[in-house]
């Protein structure tokens, strides 16, 4: 959106949803991981903060050179492709045993 007010109104629910996603992800990881691997699993979980910065850098470079719409389209297609690959080749991820 090109409207500042609209973007500002969208940011509050997005931030809240992100907080819920982080809490749910941490809870699921701690619940599913075996006790002897919990420290290693949580260290990988915490790496998402660094990886997020790298992803933001890549998306900002695409936005700088090709525009914001192209950056959103690129990252959306990439997310869908990664989700499809994981869905096809990792059926264990679809189950929480």
């Amino acid at each position: 959106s090109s409207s500042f007010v609209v973007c500002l109104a969208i940011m509050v629910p997005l931030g809240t949803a992100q907080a819920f996603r982080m809490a749910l992800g941490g809870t699921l990881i701690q619940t599913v991981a075996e006790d002897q691997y919990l420290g290693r699993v949580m260290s990988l979980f915490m790496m998402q903060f660094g990886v997020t910065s790298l992803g933001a850098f890549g998306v900002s470079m695409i936005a700088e050179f090709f525009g914001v719409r192209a950056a959103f389209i690129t990252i959306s297609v990439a997310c869908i492709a990664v989700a499809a690959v994981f869905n096809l080749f990792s059926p264990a991820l679809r189950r929480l045993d």
Side-chain angles (χ1 to χ4, degrees), residues 1-87:
S1 173
S2 58
S3 170
F4 178 74
V5 176
V6 171
C7 290
L8 193 61
I10 292 172
M11 291 302 289
V12 172
L14 282 178
T16 304
Q18 175 70 6
F20 283 129
R21 186 199 64 80
M22 293 284 296
L24 178 63
T27 303
L28 285 174
I29 286 174
Q30 291 180 11
T31 303
V32 173
E34 296 178 22
D35 289 339
Q36 65 264 26
Y37 301 118
L38 190 57
R40 293 177 184 158
V41 170
M42 288 308 294
S43 68
L44 290 173
F45 179 71
M46 294 304 290
M47 282 179 56
Q48 72 179 325
F49 297 110
V51 174
T52 301
S53 299
L54 288 174
F57 177 72
V59 171
S60 65
M61 293 299 290
I62 294 170
E64 180 71 27
F65 291 113
F66 301 107
V68 175
R69 290 183 195 265
F72 274 105
I73 290 169
T74 302
I75 197 66
S76 298
V77 169
C79 286
I80 291 169
V82 168
V85 167
F86 275 107
N87 190 30

